Amino acid sequence: MKKILISVILSSHSLSAQYTDFNIVKEVKVKNKGVVVSAHPLASEAGAKVLKMGGNTYDAIVATQYALAVVYPQAGNIGGGGFLVGVKNNGEKFTLDYREIAPKRASRDMYLDKKGKANTDLSQNGRLAVGVPGSVAGFFATLKYCKLSMDQLIQPAIDLAEKGFAITEQEANLLNSNKEYFQKHNQSYIVFVKNVPWKSGDILVQKELAETLKLIQKQGLKGFYEGKTAESLVSEMKKGNGIITLEDLKNYKVAERKALEFDYKGNNVVSMPLPSSGGILLAQMLKMAAYENLEKYQQNSTKAVQIMVEAERRAYADRAEYMGDPAFIDDKTSYLISDDYLKNRWKSFSFTKATLSSEVGKIIKQPKESTETTHISVIDKEGNAAAVTTTLNGLYGSKVVVSGAGFFLNNEMDDFSVKPGVPNMFGAVGGEANSIQPNKRMLSSMTPTIVLKNGKPYMVVGTPGGTTIPTSVYQSIVDVIDFKLNTNISINSPKFHHQWLPEAVAFEKNFPETTIKDLEKLGYRTEKWDQIGRTEMILIDDNGNIHAVADGRGDDSVAVE
Ligand code: GLY
């Protein structure tokens, strides 16, 4: 077990030792115990704590999300939204969609100037970028699957916010590099800005956030969507160009959706349906790659990568054309994941050359990328599983903190297609299906996924990474099922990503050069990225042995009951 001890000097705050001296645990093998994997050791610990109190997977999921909102403010949130995919030990599958929605005053062309040019600064930064948050409603919707009370599940987060916790080096660097944006988008003092640079071991105390969490604890849903918190959020909107109203907040509703399920080589994959594109993309990519018997090849070899990239190209072209909030579009999911359709789509594949993106969809423009969001995987000792991916969209979302309430607001409006053909911050382009309409959910890429073998959870997996999310989850599943690699190797091997547009395939910086060179000879454009994804995976073998791994790319950590 790889352990990294973060030791810090106690500050003058009165602190319990657990918040200043904690282990980052990258890998655990256990049996008959619950495990939680998340982006932060203290959040995973909050989940494990409620498991020890007699809670189940869903209790742990709620406690971990609240804790992430405190200790991982760049993506953990109460001001954003997310998706939960659950499989109970009785076989029941369910999903909760607590994605943000467009405010009632939103409109199709709200980010276009008089000449019709898209202003993505407005959809990505500041108050107009904010969608109506769904996370807290999602936590309350999860309660029906829980054993403990909200009072108990929120308490670890209140303690972390009130007493403070030691920030890690990665967090210190992020806070420092975002200082300028925090100052630009917040008129009042916020705890995330200091006169001197943050450093590893500094204590971050969030009193206002603690008070907001206490209001939720006392008043339930109304503690967020009505009363003081809602009023603070709406006042914050009025300090700039924000359009969310009290009515928008009061009317927010979680959607319970039927999980998207499909067979992959005898395993049942359970993932998120629209308004996330994740499940559909995963089904399309896995099925198309299976037409070439992917299991014959090796992970990250030229042929394997070529097959997978070409499957990605075709799936992401469909994302741009057909996918959006199912309440607003003609939902073509069954057709898009059918063999009839996919076999035909795959006919143009050839090992001799790269397919051009223009051959599989209508070309538009060159994008840029960003990789935020966060994922939690949990299994308890009774065999209940959950995968949750939650987001503010960009790092620290809109960068706006609700004054008096202490939490970051999302910039999820940028996940709409602000103008057909104009790439969002992930470089994804879209069309009418994902255009802005009041009360509509913006298309997502989040792909919380549970793979079942003989009806029982086998893999619980997910990752942040914007549009790279489905391709990273795809690679994880292929690594385990086709290439028979273990969890640790799968997660920490270098990844690649292609999304139809741009034409280039992205490779993590330590990706095998020989494969990249071979692909270039076949006509592939390539580029290097520092990092792709931060996958949290739990694998449960036929004998009930649990192997949980937290991605080595960040402070991600496993905690055991
Ligand atoms: N905001 C990232 C996603 O939902 O895909």
Side-chain angles (χ1 to χ4, degrees), residues 128-402:
L128 195 61
V130 185
V132 182
S135 288
V136 176
F139 306 161
F140 278 89
T142 312
L143 266 189
K144 102 172 188 210
Y145 301 96
C146 293
K147 287 174 157 179
L148 305 180
S149 66
M150 190 57 92
D151 191 15
Q152 293 167 294
L153 302 180
I154 202 168
Q155 191 59 46
I158 294 174
D159 293 342
L160 286 161
E162 205 156 47
K163 294 176 182 171
F165 64 97
I167 63 167
T168 63
E169 193 179 334
Q170 289 211 7
E171 287 157 356
N173 292 340
L174 270 185
L175 288 170
N176 292 333
S177 58
N178 280 278
K179 179 174 176 175
E180 187 190 319
Y181 303 109
F182 294 156
Q183 287 174 322
K184 179 174 173 194
H185 293 291
N186 294 281
Q187 285 83 32
S188 334
Y189 160 83
I190 62 168
V191 292
F192 305 100
V193 172
K194 286 205 308 178
N195 289 335
V196 293
W198 290 96
K199 57 184 187 324
S200 163
D202 281 350
I203 305 300
L204 178 59
V205 177
Q206 299 171 77
K207 294 277 185 210
E208 286 187 349
L209 178 56
E211 290 312 310
T212 301
L213 295 172
K214 283 185 199 166
L215 272 179
I216 298 169
Q217 191 180 40
K218 274 199 210 95
Q219 298 173 3
L221 261 185
K222 289 186 177 174
F224 186 86
Y225 289 96
E226 296 180 44
K228 180 175 177 295
T229 312
E231 281 155 20
S232 302
L233 196 158
V234 171
S235 305
E236 193 59 58
M237 291 287 113
K238 290 181 180 155
K239 287 182 195 160
N241 48 4
I243 54 172
I244 294 177
T245 61
L246 289 174
E247 192 196 357
D248 283 324
L249 290 165
K250 201 171 165 184
N251 289 342
Y252 182 85
K253 294 270 176 313
V254 172
E256 290 219 23
R257 302 188 187 276
K258 193 174 172 311
L260 188 146
E261 289 182 62
F262 59 94
D263 176 79
Y264 186 61
K265 301 187 177 174
N267 303 280
N268 183 22
V269 182
V270 184
S271 192
M272 197 64 212
L274 292 174
S276 182
S277 60
I280 301 177
L281 293 176
L282 192 58
Q284 290 189 309
M285 296 184 296
L286 285 168
K287 286 182 174 199
M288 283 190 269
Y291 301 147
E292 297 299 328
N293 301 317
L294 193 58
E295 70 282 356
K296 285 196 312 205
Y297 305 101
Q298 280 183 343
Q299 186 207 38
N300 293 346
S301 63
T302 305
K303 281 206 157 57
V305 174
Q306 191 183 7
I307 293 167
M308 292 173 78
V309 162
E310 292 300 346
E312 291 171 6
R313 190 190 310 274
R314 287 156 178 79
Y316 276 79
D318 284 354
R319 182 191 195 275
E321 176 128 20
Y322 301 114
M323 300 184 208
D325 181 340
F328 289 76
I329 59 164
D330 174 18
D331 182 352
K332 294 186 167 31
T333 301
S334 314
Y335 174 65
L336 291 173
I337 65 172
S338 68
D339 279 315
D340 277 355
Y341 173 71
L342 292 171
K343 278 187 177 150
N344 198 35
R345 198 107 173 91
W346 193 246
K347 273 186 188 152
S348 55
F349 171 78
S350 161
F351 275 121
T352 60
K353 61 172 178 44
T355 305
L356 290 173
S357 285
S358 56
E359 291 169 23
V360 298
K362 277 175 251 140
I363 284 292
I364 317 165
K365 209 179 157 191
Q366 196 77 0
K368 56 187 167 142
E369 43 81 29
S370 164
T371 53
E372 274 330 297
T373 300
T374 189
H375 179 81
I376 312 163
S377 291
V378 180
I379 185 120
D380 64 25
K381 59 177 178 279
E382 272 100 40
N384 300 295
V388 164
T389 314
T390 176
T391 189
L392 287 168
N393 197 20
L395 262 179
Y396 305 102
S398 59
K399 320 280 196 276
V400 176
V401 176
V402 177

Side-chain angles (χ1 to χ4, degrees), residues 99 373 391 393 412 415 426 444-446:
R99 182 70 162 165
T373 300
T391 189
N393 197 20
E412 216 71 59
D415 268 348
F426 303 109
S444 173
S445 297
M446 294 190 282

